[in-house]
Amino acid sequence: MFPWGVPTAQVISSQTIKKTESFQAPNLIELPANSLTTDKFDQQMVDKISTLTTDKTFSWIITKPTSYYNVGQYFIREIFTQLVVAFLLTLLLFFTTKHNFKTRLIITLLVGTMAVTAIFGQMLNWWGIPAIYALGAGFNLIIGWFLISFVSSKWIIKSE
């Protein structure tokens, strides 16, 4: 219903026989089966989120040019992301200084669990990511937030 999110994905069907319905997409791109070989795949998919239906699979595909993963730029974007998260966690700890140390850690664990559930729960459903990946990434996020909240609450932004 909104012009962002799922409606921005290009919907592609590349089937020998039309066996699978593709989300009733108004802008369905129908291509011959097996036509998305390397060059054609790159031309069709780069810098887009796509769904691709073949005879045996339905895929959500995010495609970036290899230059996107240039180590310098990639890590700068990641550092920026982590700084924003650090700032928001700092705000959370700042706003909870009236609570005792244990309560603040519990609040951080709850917020981390909410973030993991909101992010990876949706990805498990929409993207079909493997549960072990979601659990591992979620565990890393929760433990990371807990550790930094422990250190920050204990020695930097102490309870009143």
Side-chain angles (χ1 to χ4, degrees), residues 13 15 17-22 53-58:
S13 177
Q15 298 174 309
I17 303 169
K18 188 118 172 124
K19 296 182 194 177
T20 309
E21 197 60 39
S22 296
T53 306
T54 66
D55 289 337
K56 296 181 182 178
T57 62
F58 176 84

Side-chain angles (χ1 to χ4, degrees), residues 2-138:
F2 297 110
W4 54 81
V6 174
T8 63
Q10 70 174 342
V11 180
I12 301 170
S13 177
S14 178
Q15 298 174 309
T16 54
I17 303 169
K18 188 118 172 124
K19 296 182 194 177
T20 309
E21 197 60 39
S22 296
F23 283 140
Q24 302 171 349
N27 298 323
L28 175 65
I29 299 168
E30 294 188 71
L31 300 173
N34 306 314
S35 64
L36 288 174
T37 58
T38 302
D39 288 338
K40 289 182 182 178
F41 180 91
D42 290 347
Q43 290 170 4
Q44 185 67 49
M45 302 290 204
V46 169
D47 280 330
K48 297 177 185 146
I49 294 180
S50 308
T51 64
L52 173 62
T53 306
T54 66
D55 289 337
K56 296 181 182 178
T57 62
F58 176 84
S59 304
W60 282 94
I61 303 170
I62 300 172
T63 309
K64 299 299 284 178
T66 53
S67 62
Y68 178 83
Y69 295 98
N70 172 297
V71 174
Q73 293 173 0
Y74 185 73
F75 283 117
I76 288 169
R77 285 190 301 269
E78 185 60 23
I79 288 168
F80 176 75
T81 300
Q82 295 306 319
L83 286 173
V84 170
V85 171
F87 174 75
L88 294 172
L89 277 172
T90 301
L91 282 178
L92 177 68
L93 293 175
F94 176 76
F95 288 130
T96 60
T97 56
K98 292 187 191 305
H99 297 285
N100 65 39
F101 178 72
K102 182 179 175 183
T103 301
R104 295 171 80 199
L105 293 181
I106 290 170
I107 290 170
T108 301
L109 285 173
L110 286 172
V111 171
T113 303
M114 287 186 325
V116 165
T117 303
I119 295 165
F120 294 108
Q122 184 181 50
M123 291 175 87
L124 279 164
N125 179 45
W126 279 94
W127 299 88
I129 64 171
I132 193 73
Y133 176 86
L135 290 171

